[in-house]
Amino acid sequence: MPIKSETITIKINDKKIKVPKGTSIYKAAALSQIKIPSLCYHPDLKANAACGLCIVKIKGMNKVVRSCATEAQEGMEIITHDKELYETRKTVIELILSNHPDDCLFCQRNQNCELQRLASEFGVRESRFNKRLKEIQKDISTTSLIIDPQKCVNCGRCVEVCQNVQDVWAVEFIGRGFDMSIAPAGNLKLNNSPCIKCGQCSAHCPVGAIVEKDEVETVISALMDKNLYPVAQIAPAVRVSFGEAFKFDSGDVITKKLYALLRKIGFKAVFDTNFSADLTIMEEANEFVRRFKKNPESLPLVTSCCPAWVDYLEKYFPDMIDHFSTAKSPHEMMGVLSKTYFPKIKKIDPSRIFMVSIMPCTAKKYEITRSDEMFASGYQDIDVVLTTRELVRMTKSAGIDFDNIEEEESDLILGSYTGAGTIFGATGGVMEAALRTAYNLLTGEDLPNVDFKDVRGLEGIKEAEIDINGTKIKVAIAHGIGNVKDVLERVKIAKINNHEIPWHFIEVMACRGGCVGGGGQPYGVTDEVRKKRTDGIYTDDKKQVFRCSHQNPYIVKLYEDFLGEPNSKKAHQLLHTKYKARPLYMK
Amino acid sequence: MEDNNLNYIENAIFEGVEDIKLSEELMEHIEKWKDKPGNLIMILHRVQQIFGYIPLNVAVKIAKELNIHLAKIYGVITFYHFFKTEKPGRHKISICMGTACYLKGAEKISDELQELLGIEIGQTTKDGLFTLETVRCIGCCGLAPVMTIDDEVYGNLKPEDIAGIISKYTNIKTGV
Amino acid sequence: MNNNVILVSNNSPHLYDKFQKLLTEKNLINKYQLKKFNTFGLNTYTSIIKIYPDKIIYVDSLENDIEEIVNDHLINGKIVKRLLYKNEHKNYLKSGPLPIYHKQLRLVLRNSGLIDPESIESYLSREGYRALAKILNNTTQDNVIDEIKISELRGRGGAGYPTWLKWNFTKQAQSDIKYIICNADEGDPGAYMDRSVLEGDPHSVIEGMIIAAFTVNANNGFIYIRAEYPLAIKRLEKAIKDAKEYGFLGKNILGTNFSFDIEIRLGAGAFVCGEETALISSIEGNRGMPRPRPPFPSTKGLWEKPTVINNVETLANIPLIILKGGDWYNKIGTEKSKGTKVFALTGKVKNSGLVEVPMGTSLREIIYDVGGGILNDNKFKAVQTGGPSGGVIPEDKLDTPISYESLNELGSIMGSGGMIVMDHTDCMVDVSKFYLQFSVDESCGKCSPCRIGGRQMLDLLTNISEGKSDESIIEKIEAISSAMQKASLCGLGQTAPNPVISTLKYFKDEYIDHIVNKKCISGKCKSLIVFEIDKNNCIGCHLCAIKCPVNAISGGKKEIHYIDQNKCIKCGLCFDACKFNAVIKS
Ligand SMILES: Cc1cc2nc3c(=O)[nH]c(=O)nc-3n(C[C@H](O)[C@H](O)[C@H](O)COP(=O)(O)O)c2cc1C
Ligand code: SF4
Ligand code: SF4
Ligand code: SF4
Ligand code: SF4
Ligand code: SF4
Ligand code: SF4
Ligand code: SF4
Ligand code: SF4
Ligand code: FES
Ligand code: FES
Ligand code: FES
């Protein structure tokens, strides 16, 4: 809640400005339209004060200070730019470059890299200093992320996000001085560390030191392969972020342009993960209602559509596995349908289907081989996951003029969705969608007003209570995996002491804001961007004729034609999964 | 400061890490420090004192006892030069790779040693007897190529001499 | 009272044992008190024996000499001349204070060597804990602050920040939990002032901490000490235990409401942990990486609570100031730098050891009068103060009176008190390389200017010392220095270029000599030495060629030999081998 805060008056480059007390000099400068050069600071994170570029002078102080980590004080007179500061910053950039490979042309961050941008802005035209690189091998142990310590500028953002935001502690600095380097926990391989592949490190890294495993070429080859039948699906959160790489703003809903794009790229059919999100709700809401009515001690039910969260729970809280919804995540449900139902009606050989998921997420790359159930169709249900960022690169290499592309429709029936499916992309969305359908299941009626505003927004843990014909259903929503511990703790304590459980239904998303802030989304995410993307999601929801999953006529049809009932045997076989305790560390 | 009311590392699985029973004395030390904030370094000091380094399975044990992450422990161990992650061998063999030694065939000596001991430079033999490393000129160029074992200098080396020299040290161990 | 005392320096326990044995045998054990004392004042000697009341000092005695001392001196009253301490004029000194004490004023080291550091009674007998009793009896916290303010004591950890001001910030900070930290991390190469205080007089530091705690309302204290000082740790542990037993520490100190406890925390081999915010990180159990200041520890320190961090020497001054008054202390020293400073005087100086002099003493007085001049009467070149954060001071600045300001003006710093004397055989490029190497090894690695800048600068200096540079290198060094000074996060990086900058300032010619003429006049930079054979002296004995490990020397028997400079690796073996002085080193 915005409390009326004290303001202070300071001078920045001789211009007076009022800012709220507690504002850093860096932010205060931004408020007066001055961008102080920086490399280690990220607005999501606590300032680490490492790079030394954001230095400014303060009248009356003999030392320069780091603006990112220094609070503005009443009456301060600050100089952000002068010759000396310029020269110092430029030398520091040159020094950083002397410890960094000149690999831009071969780098995933080319044209999208904070260090490259600084070098370009400061007009660094020669390398005055000798190259002195770290001699540490890349870590390619996971199927989601690649760590290249040689490119790391030791900014500390990944450490901060992984330890203090996500509370996973998969990465840490090891060594010190010139040899200090980023490394997975215990100096093991990333895959043997607690890493949950959420990719928040990659989303926050200013350079190409932690990047998603690039699968663009695999997809291009598949598209060229005459024997294959390539199909694609787009996740809810991609439609509100992808456009940022083109002329669109965060939150502009460009779903139909994306369908068109994927066809132009060469996919033979384009589905929408929103459809399978509706399906997930059918399965999960039924599961919830069943547990709620018949097996209340098995509550709370916890959502399981975020694979990073699944990994976290399997590693850190295996004793809570029974609370997990067994429903697969939407894109996995789509995967299995694309290789069972779809080839059946299309009369093609399922082995020819090549399924590509376009996701905001790096953990989905891991998820597709997570367990045997991910092969329920008899094949690997999803062949490749591309992140939003990878699709941007692919679009550009394919030379498609996305700005002016004509809208198209998705392929029915796996491409039709309701508002409930689309809101999966934002924190609280899965819960809201589930409640819309659970209400119907419990009462036989549809909600007059489907908007559950309490479950929306960026607060780390949200709680709500829903009255369904006199039955109170209590729910909690956590996003940013670091918030989960508090929620689980309360559940555990209640259960140990035989108290009433605090909530019946819990939604967890590993990324702050949910998938709109996913680890595979376009760079530069801040809360402002998260909000815009979220707004886009809810706009899309509002626009839909049907806003509850069970109202989706094609979902109804799918059950009639193929799956039978929600939670039926067939549904279980294809749409549900199992969980098991996994080691937190492996040697 | 972390506050973990829920000890969730204690029950975590550490695959491939042999469980180790710590001595009573060390456990007492850990117990004494357990609830004091900032205890990690004081505990690592004792481990280093007892083992000569911080073995992975002891680090894991500490993680569980203190409910802290292995990442944190390794971050700390590798920051402070006092703490080691590898057990040093009983004898340190240093091969001089200075110019004179190099020109006089230090590389062959180094190859021979690596082959005989079955380890690479920077490693320690399985039995913990030898650690192999290279050094720059040790000021005995006249004797090049040169190696030292602990404080003993061996000069004018030929690959065929190495086995004999090494056996002097292994015999000390196997002999009565 | 028995005032026949024999003091034996504690670096020679075997002599002590020998005395004990002989005195017992000869039935003198009741006549003489045998004691150990701390030798930090004079550690160029293997042993020192002082005999009172005669005030005779014997040095470098061996075990066999003890018998002679006992027989001749103690029994027959005859001084053993050959063992007597000699001053620089080779005169034997029969009595009186050692010249090294001349010009010294021992305040911080007031008890070192005179008391038994492991006995609290010994400390008590020299007014120990009297200051604490005084403030607990009838002084307010503000009185203490005033007294320290009047004394104008400034922090001895390096920066010289007014101690009263620091205390006052913490006193005024609102918090029910506050901490006192004693910074005993002393990591400067060649400095051991704090160690000597902790080993020689641990209670004085503890008393200082208790007074600080009383003044700012702190109930917990930490002594952060490097693990490399086991004896100091042992003595501190004993001292803390004893102080608790006597009621100076713990609950309700001396029956008042004031409670305060001290814990020891060990460093683990990281120089940067002497920096106060890194030290705090380390006590908190983390990687010792500095944090930005502000906020300063005095308001947001250990576990975010207001924290006073003081150096050992600063704290050891406190009881004295409380007892004798701020006015008294203020009279010692210069206008802005009061009191004394302990220096670890080493390098090419005759008497190396710890010296404590009043502020305002000149460098020349310390080096020549206290230190006895340059070793082997070589030519003085420069004196380095402030360790890796400091700089060198050349001959013509030797008369500068020492103070925080004057040393800063000269481009060096007071630092914690390292003072290294250099003569004409020392190379200034080599010296700056040495210090920079230290800073590079000890950089925590957090910030890019220090982590990378230091490394790059070291590479540049190495190039200079290897003759692989041109004049553009100076500009690069200056650019890196400037960036490091301005953009580094903590004092380590900000001051790491100082040794380089100051040698460049005073000895630029020497750099140019290396860079342009590829010459190192002091012969330190190995790559720049040239070995040649003097045609006139070479008789063609071929010995040098046999010795040369890389076959760089050619020449037949009885012919004049020749060194191929491209092959030569400058090992110097030929130089040592030639019996006819025909190999020349230049
Ligand atoms: C790299 C670095 C190392 C330091 N090492 C020490 C040290 O070993 N001992 C010390 O007392 N102060 C050291 N300091 C200074 C401390 O940060 C701090 O200023 C001092 O302990 C404050 O005590 P004082 O006010 O009594 O001087 C160091 C500073 C830096 C930047
Ligand atoms: S990380 Fe940035 S600067 Fe480095 S190679 Fe990649 S694009 Fe270039
Ligand atoms: S930016 Fe310059 S170097 Fe890079 S590809 Fe273009 S022309 Fe070549
Ligand atoms: S993917 Fe997530 S858990 Fe893994 S290292 Fe990155 S931030 Fe940490
Ligand atoms: S990997 Fe990236 S985010 Fe992490 S420290 Fe290095 S540069 Fe920063
Ligand atoms: S919140 Fe979404 S983007 Fe983030 S890990 Fe989970 S599924 Fe992936
Ligand atoms: S200046 Fe050096 S030691 Fe200090 S924080 Fe930066 S890298 Fe670490
Ligand atoms: S040892 Fe001396 S005299 Fe003999 S050949 Fe060499 S230079 Fe000539
Ligand atoms: S200095 Fe050494 S390498 Fe050079 S010529 Fe003499 S012996 Fe040979
Ligand atoms: S942005 Fe402030 S130090 Fe890097
Ligand atoms: S996009 Fe599918 S669960 Fe987030
Ligand atoms: S090069 Fe080997 S001892 Fe000098």
Side-chain angles (χ1 to χ4, degrees):
Chain A
M1 296 306 100
I3 12 168
K4 207 174 166 303
S5 54
E6 251 181 276
T7 60
I8 54 167
T9 309
I10 57 172
K11 261 191 186 173
I12 296 184
N13 300 338
D14 274 334
K15 201 182 138 239
K16 264 200 185 146
I17 171 174
K18 276 194 189 342
V19 297
K21 195 166 185 241
T23 309
S24 70
I25 296 177
Y26 183 89
K27 283 189 189 147
L31 291 174
S32 44
Q33 298 82 48
I34 289 168
K35 162 91 178 75
I36 299 174
S38 65
L39 184 59
C40 65
Y41 177 69
H42 189 289
D44 270 359
L45 308 170
K46 204 177 118 220
N48 183 36
C51 72
L53 289 173
C54 70
I55 47 172
V56 296
K57 289 182 179 167
I58 296 172
K59 206 168 158 190
M61 272 176 89
N62 57 355
K63 278 185 183 159
V64 298
V65 300
R66 281 161 155 68
S67 60
C68 65
T70 311
E71 256 181 43
Q73 305 286 345
E74 176 66 41
M76 256 186 189
E77 295 184 29
I78 298 151
I79 296 166
T80 64
H81 288 76
D82 70 8
K83 183 159 182 284
E84 204 175 52
L85 289 169
Y86 173 81
E87 274 168 8
T88 304
R89 287 174 183 147
K90 186 163 177 177
T91 307
V92 173
I93 293 170
E94 285 176 75
L95 287 169
I96 295 171
L97 292 175
S98 78
N99 186 222
H100 192 93
D102 295 333
D103 277 356
C104 297
L105 287 176
F106 310 100
C107 182
Q108 237 149 296
R109 293 300 292 263
N110 193 12
Q111 303 254 325
N112 207 339
C113 167
E114 296 181 36
L115 177 60
Q116 193 188 44
R117 190 158 62 233
L118 280 166
S120 141
E121 286 168 359
F122 276 81
V124 179
R125 295 284 173 265
E126 55 166 352
S127 33
R128 270 197 286 177
F129 311 120
N130 290 335
K131 268 281 176 243
R132 265 206 165 260
L133 300 176
K134 295 182 193 164
E135 284 162 17
I136 309 169
Q137 298 289 307
K138 280 187 193 174
D139 185 325
I140 53 168
S141 60
T142 77
T143 50
S144 292
L145 296 156
I146 291 175
I147 303 185
D148 184 355
Q150 202 166 60
K151 285 186 187 154
C152 170
V153 296
N154 289 18
C155 73
R157 290 185 193 174
C158 57
V159 174
E160 180 66 22
V161 81
C162 187
Q163 298 184 352
N164 297 333
V165 177
Q166 301 297 69
D167 200 11
V168 176
W169 293 75
V171 288
E172 168 62 304
F173 283 119
I174 59 163
R176 79 163 191 232
F178 193 72
D179 297 322
M180 167 170 150
S181 147
I182 186 72
N187 213 4
L188 302 164
K189 287 273 172 263
L190 189 63
N191 204 37
N192 299 350
S193 83
C195 176
I196 59 169
K197 279 77 76 175
C198 68
Q200 284 304 315
C201 48
S202 74
H204 285 85
C205 180
V207 294
I210 305 187
V211 290
E212 66 279 9
K213 182 157 183 258
D214 191 330
E215 297 277 14
V216 171
E217 296 219 343
T218 321
V219 174
I220 292 179
S221 313
L223 291 170
M224 304 285 173
D225 188 337
K226 289 275 175 322
N227 295 321
L228 293 180
Y229 191 93
V231 299
Q233 60 172 320
I234 320 162
V238 175
R239 68 204 65 213
V240 288
S241 65
F242 180 85
E244 290 163 23
F246 299 88
K247 73 170 184 195
F248 306 94
D249 198 4
S250 314
D252 289 357
V253 184
I254 46 161
T255 316
K256 294 187 176 177
K257 292 185 192 296
L258 281 167
Y259 297 154
L261 166 71
L262 291 170
R263 288 223 183 77
K264 264 201 170 35
I265 282 183
F267 288 101
K268 294 219 160 84
V270 180
F271 309 137
D272 199 318
T273 314
N274 287 8
F275 173 83
S276 45
D278 279 337
L279 191 58
T280 302
I281 288 303
M282 294 304 287
E283 295 296 319
E284 204 163 281
N286 272 287
E287 186 181 358
F288 174 71
V289 169
R290 203 185 60 231
R291 289 199 194 204
F292 188 77
K293 282 188 176 159
K294 302 200 180 136
N295 198 4
E297 63 281 8
S298 73
L299 293 176
L301 181 69
V302 186
T303 63
S304 62
C305 48
C306 166
W309 157 231
V310 170
D311 203 26
Y312 185 88
L313 186 118
E314 288 184 326
K315 283 170 170 169
Y316 277 114
F317 290 99
D319 52 333
M320 303 282 277
I321 277 177
D322 289 344
H323 294 278
F324 244 153
S325 163
T326 57
K328 282 183 183 175
S329 71
H331 93 119
E332 282 294 344
M333 288 196 180
M334 179 65 82
V336 75
L337 291 176
S338 74
K339 295 193 178 183
T340 51
Y341 173 74
F342 177 72
K344 199 174 131 196
I345 56 164
K346 267 275 173 188
K347 304 206 169 44
I348 41 178
D349 179 356
S351 70
R352 290 182 58 213
I353 305 281
F354 190 86
M355 180 61 182
V356 177
S357 296
I358 314 294
M359 296 283 128
C361 180
T362 49
K364 302 267 181 202
K365 286 176 182 268
Y366 149 79
E367 183 188 23
I368 59 176
T369 54
R370 187 185 72 85
S371 67
D372 291 346
E373 295 80 47
M374 305 300 131
F375 298 79
S377 64
Y379 308 93
Q380 184 174 317
D381 296 340
I382 303 288
D383 290 288
V384 171
V385 168
L386 291 185
T387 58
T388 317
R389 295 194 291 260
E390 284 165 278
L391 184 65
V392 169
R393 289 198 292 273
M394 200 171 159
T395 306
K396 291 186 173 168
S397 79
I400 295 167
D401 175 12
F402 189 76
D403 289 344
N404 296 308
I405 205 163
E406 300 268 352
E407 297 190 342
E408 286 177 18
E409 295 297 329
S410 62
D411 285 76
L412 289 179
I413 64 168
L414 302 181
S416 109
Y417 66 89
T418 71
T422 212
I423 58 176
F424 262 60
T427 167
V430 179
M431 179 59 72
E432 186 168 345
L435 290 175
R436 289 178 189 177
T437 290
Y439 186 92
N440 173 280
L441 293 175
L442 285 166
T443 64
E445 290 164 30
D446 275 347
L447 279 162
N449 174 9
V450 297
D451 290 329
F452 290 92
K453 293 255 162 77
D454 286 353
V455 301
R456 301 181 187 176
L458 281 180
E459 207 179 317
I461 298 174
K462 293 167 283 186
E463 292 181 77
E465 205 176 88
I466 294 96
D467 191 329
I468 301 185
N469 280 358
T471 319
K472 286 205 167 27
I473 296 187
K474 288 189 279 182
V475 302
I477 293 109
H479 60 113
I481 203 81
N483 288 316
V484 158
K485 226 165 60 182
D486 292 342
V487 171
L488 293 190
E489 191 169 341
R490 276 183 60 189
V491 172
K492 269 191 157 179
I493 290 169
K495 285 174 64 103
I496 291 167
N497 299 315
N498 267 327
H499 291 160
E500 195 190 329
I501 47 166
W503 308 286
H504 303 105
F505 203 174
I506 298 170
E507 179 205 292
V508 179
M509 288 289 160
C511 302
R512 178 166 171 79
C515 302
V516 291
Q521 292 279 49
Y523 294 114
V525 180
T526 58
D527 276 353
E528 201 185 325
V529 173
R530 288 185 185 93
K531 277 195 194 105
K532 282 188 179 175
R533 291 178 184 167
T534 305
D535 288 349
I537 291 271
Y538 287 106
T539 313
D540 195 30
D541 170 30
K542 271 244 158 72
K543 267 196 342 215
Q544 302 307 317
V545 186
F546 300 115
R547 294 183 64 198
C548 302
S549 301
H550 59 274
Q551 297 165 341
N552 185 334
Y554 293 98
I555 289 282
V556 176
K557 183 170 160 46
L558 181 71
Y559 277 109
E560 277 170 4
D561 292 358
F562 186 65
L563 291 168
E565 297 276 290
N567 291 355
S568 69
K569 193 158 171 246
K570 183 152 191 182
H572 258 282
Q573 204 180 15
L574 297 180
L575 307 182
H576 288 253
T577 182
K578 299 191 188 77
Y579 308 99
K580 64 169 189 205
R582 286 179 203 268
L584 192 56
Y585 299 93
M586 284 184 277
K587 207 185 155 196
Chain B
M1 233 192 307
E2 290 147 75
D3 74 13
N4 298 319
N5 295 327
L6 215 60
N7 190 336
Y8 61 129
I9 308 241
E10 187 180 303
N11 303 316
I13 308 168
F14 291 75
E15 197 175 286
V17 179
E18 217 173 299
D19 196 42
I20 180 173
K21 199 170 153 23
L22 302 180
S23 68
E24 226 158 86
E25 187 248 330
L26 183 54
M27 282 311 288
E28 251 168 51
H29 184 78
I30 294 178
E31 207 54 47
K32 183 180 133 202
W33 282 93
K34 202 169 182 168
D35 297 323
K36 288 194 190 173
N39 48 15
L40 179 58
I41 293 173
M42 296 307 278
I43 291 172
L44 291 175
H45 263 298
R46 186 59 67 91
V47 175
Q48 171 83 31
Q49 198 179 41
I50 294 171
F51 293 87
Y53 74 117
I54 319 254
L56 176 65
N57 52 359
V58 179
V60 165
K61 197 84 174 177
I62 294 173
K64 293 188 171 190
E65 286 294 329
L66 303 183
N67 194 26
I68 58 172
H69 300 266
L70 200 60
K72 159 97 181 223
I73 298 179
Y74 268 71
V76 168
I77 297 176
T78 58
F79 184 85
Y80 295 97
H81 285 179
F82 227 77
F83 302 133
K84 307 269 180 269
T85 51
E86 306 272 330
K87 189 189 176 87
R90 178 120 49 99
H91 303 291
K92 188 168 88 184
I93 307 182
S94 311
I95 312 157
C96 177
M97 281 287 174
T99 322
C101 292
Y102 186 80
L103 291 173
K104 290 230 158 163
E107 202 134 22
K108 284 200 190 108
I109 305 299
S110 159
D111 290 347
E112 181 71 15
L113 273 163
Q114 295 185 44
E115 212 174 288
L116 281 176
L117 299 175
I119 51 171
E120 285 170 30
I121 304 292
Q123 294 182 330
T124 300
T125 51
K126 273 229 172 71
D127 58 7
L129 218 48
F130 298 103
T131 299
L132 202 55
E133 54 175 51
T134 57
V135 289
R136 271 171 292 163
C137 179
I138 52 167
C140 311
C141 310
L143 298 175
V146 173
M147 72 170 176
T148 60
I149 301 185
D150 303 331
D151 294 329
E152 198 80 31
V153 179
Y154 297 89
N156 293 321
L157 292 169
K158 289 191 260 347
E160 53 269 32
D161 301 341
I162 304 296
I165 298 172
I166 294 296
S167 67
K168 279 206 285 187
Y169 292 83
T170 42
N171 287 344
I172 296 171
K173 192 197 137 211
T174 46
V176 197
Chain C
M1 267 285 284
N2 173 1
N3 53 6
N4 293 332
V5 184
I6 302 170
L7 291 178
V8 183
S9 57
N10 63 2
N11 56 351
S12 30
H14 53 296
L15 301 189
Y16 180 93
D17 295 344
K18 183 80 178 191
F19 261 118
Q20 185 129 31
K21 185 164 158 264
L22 289 177
L23 291 177
T24 318
E25 273 173 26
K26 308 215 183 251
N27 259 332
L28 291 170
I29 196 76
N30 294 326
K31 202 172 157 208
Y32 284 92
Q33 288 184 43
L34 186 60
K35 286 184 172 176
K36 288 184 189 171
F37 84 104
N38 206 321
T39 50
F40 283 107
L42 252 181
N43 69 357
T44 37
Y45 300 97
T46 57
S47 69
I48 302 168
I49 295 161
K50 302 188 199 176
I51 299 182
Y52 293 89
D54 317 8
K55 285 192 176 173
I56 290 293
I57 298 167
Y58 295 120
V59 294
D60 283 343
S61 319
L62 302 176
E63 208 168 317
N64 292 338
D65 299 329
I66 304 301
E67 194 140 6
E68 200 175 331
I69 293 177
V70 172
N71 287 335
D72 290 11
H73 188 142
L74 300 188
I75 297 179
N76 297 326
K78 233 176 70 194
I79 287 168
V80 188
K81 267 199 174 170
R82 67 179 177 90
L83 298 174
L84 278 175
Y85 172 82
K86 324 175 188 60
N87 72 8
E88 72 257 41
H89 307 298
K90 308 266 175 211
N91 290 333
Y92 292 156
L93 204 87
K94 291 183 188 162
S95 62
L98 287 176
I100 194 162
Y101 291 122
H102 169 63
K103 301 218 172 173
Q104 294 204 55
L105 175 61
R106 299 205 146 207
L107 304 184
V108 173
L109 302 176
R110 59 193 178 275
N111 295 329
S112 287
L114 295 174
I115 63 166
D116 176 354
E118 298 192 15
S119 142
I120 190 168
E121 291 84 2
S122 184
Y123 180 66
L124 287 169
S125 74
R126 295 192 40 103
E127 303 198 304
Y129 291 108
R130 206 76 67 77
L132 177 64
K134 183 173 163 186
I135 62 156
L136 288 184
N137 273 337
N138 54 11
T139 314
T140 65
Q141 296 167 325
D142 286 328
N143 290 153
V144 179
I145 299 244
D146 281 345
E147 209 59 51
I148 309 286
K149 185 175 176 182
I150 292 167
S151 78
E152 289 185 56
L153 173 68
R154 294 169 65 176
R156 300 294 193 246
Y161 195 79
T163 304
W164 76 270
L165 204 56
K166 209 183 242 190
W167 289 20
N168 208 31
F169 281 129
T170 303
K171 177 175 168 282
Q172 285 168 353
Q174 297 295 322
S175 172
D176 28 343
I177 301 176
K178 295 178 185 179
Y179 297 102
I180 305 292
I181 297 176
C182 167
N183 186 344
D185 193 48
E186 191 167 61
D188 278 20
Y192 52 93
M193 302 74 52
D194 295 349
R195 170 174 158 204
S196 80
V197 176
L198 295 169
E199 288 181 4
D201 193 13
H203 285 285
S204 66
V205 180
I206 292 171
E207 189 177 359
M209 285 179 78
I210 306 172
I211 294 171
F214 166 81
T215 311
V216 305
N217 274 328
N219 301 112
N220 286 290
F222 292 90
I223 300 177
Y224 185 85
I225 179 166
R226 48 197 322 233
E228 290 89 336
Y229 285 174
L231 183 62
I233 296 167
K234 192 180 130 225
R235 294 206 165 142
L236 275 172
E237 279 168 352
K238 170 101 172 45
I240 291 172
K241 192 168 147 271
D242 291 348
K244 267 189 200 160
E245 268 165 27
Y246 272 75
F248 300 128
L249 267 179
K251 281 226 150 41
N252 302 88
I253 292 173
L254 297 179
T256 63
N257 288 334
F258 166 55
S259 302
F260 178 64
D261 237 323
I262 295 179
E263 254 185 53
I264 295 176
R265 291 297 173 96
L266 304 185
F271 168 71
V272 68
C273 288
E275 196 279 338
E276 52 191 25
T277 60
L279 186 153
I280 286 172
S281 285
S282 187
I283 294 186
E284 289 172 351
N286 300 320
R287 292 165 61 83
M289 300 207 281
R291 305 168 186 168
R293 301 174 309 170
F296 289 93
S298 48
T299 51
K300 225 175 176 191
L302 191 60
W303 291 298
E304 311 245 298
K305 303 293 180 201
T307 304
V308 166
I309 300 188
N310 274 132
N311 166 262
V312 168
E313 198 181 323
T314 314
L315 289 166
N317 270 304
I318 299 291
L320 213 55
I321 293 172
I322 298 296
L323 272 185
K324 300 204 174 189
D327 274 332
W328 164 81
Y329 193 85
N330 192 278
K331 293 204 180 80
I332 307 162
T334 68
E335 192 198 335
K336 287 187 178 155
S337 303
K338 303 296 182 186
T340 59
K341 177 77 194 91
V342 185
F343 291 98
L345 183 64
T346 53
K348 308 286 171 56
V349 65
K350 282 185 184 149
N351 301 321
S352 57
L354 280 195
V355 302
E356 181 175 356
V357 292
M359 297 280 189
T361 309
S362 76
L363 287 160
R364 192 183 298 280
E365 285 173 292
I366 296 179
I367 295 165
Y368 286 92
D369 298 345
V370 183
I374 310 303
L375 210 61
N376 304 324
D377 293 316
N378 275 348
K379 194 172 151 29
F380 172 89
K381 188 170 195 174
V383 55
Q384 211 278 354
T385 69
S389 311
V392 296
I393 297 162
E395 167 98 57
D396 63 334
K397 303 282 190 300
L398 273 189
D399 292 311
T400 314
I402 288 184
S403 69
Y404 290 99
E405 292 71 28
S406 66
L407 290 178
N408 280 353
E409 256 165 53
L410 294 179
S412 185
I413 59 163
M414 177 90 77
S416 54
M419 189 176 274
I420 296 164
V421 178
M422 292 177 262
D423 67 9
H424 70 275
T425 62
D426 290 305
C427 164
M428 288 298 123
V429 176
D430 193 57
V431 164
S432 56
K433 218 171 80 184
F434 168 81
Y435 284 110
L436 195 63
Q437 177 78 57
F438 180 86
S439 296
V440 168
D441 289 344
E442 296 299 333
S443 160
C444 83
K446 176 169 176 165
C447 66
S448 30
C450 168
R451 179 181 78 247
I452 310 168
R455 180 79 252 172
Q456 287 288 353
M457 188 135 84
L458 185 61
D459 285 353
L460 294 176
L461 288 176
T462 306
N463 286 347
I464 294 180
S465 72
E466 288 177 354
K468 295 181 202 149
S469 57
D470 57 46
E471 262 167 294
S472 72
I473 208 163
I474 305 257
E475 215 175 287
K476 287 185 196 169
I477 289 180
E478 280 166 352
I480 299 178
S481 299
S482 161
M484 284 178 79
Q485 287 176 318
K486 293 190 187 85
S488 293
L489 177 60
C490 85
L492 191 149
Q494 287 160 4
T495 59
N498 288 0
V500 185
I501 296 171
S502 82
T503 47
L504 255 175
K505 176 171 167 188
Y506 295 118
F507 298 94
K508 192 154 186 173
D509 291 351
E510 210 170 312
Y511 276 84
I512 300 293
D513 220 22
H514 281 75
I515 296 167
V516 181
N517 308 327
K518 315 284 178 214
K519 256 174 79 179
C520 173
I521 45 164
S522 43
K524 274 272 152 69
C525 298
K526 214 173 146 188
S527 314
L528 299 184
I529 305 171
V530 181
F531 289 94
E532 278 166 330
I533 293 176
D534 182 349
K535 293 193 178 86
N536 301 324
N537 285 352
C538 177
I539 62 149
C541 72
H542 203 59
L543 202 58
C544 56
I546 293 168
K547 287 278 168 162
C548 177
V550 294
N551 300 328
I553 307 181
S554 53
K557 282 254 169 228
K558 304 247 167 86
E559 281 170 20
I560 293 171
H561 281 54
Y562 165 78
I563 297 179
D564 181 346
Q565 297 302 334
N566 291 328
K567 284 191 186 164
C568 172
I569 59 162
K570 334 242 174 197
C571 70
L573 286 173
C574 53
F575 182 80
D576 297 338
C578 179
K579 299 196 175 87
F580 304 92
N581 290 333
V583 179
I584 347 167
K585 174 173 160 184
S586 60

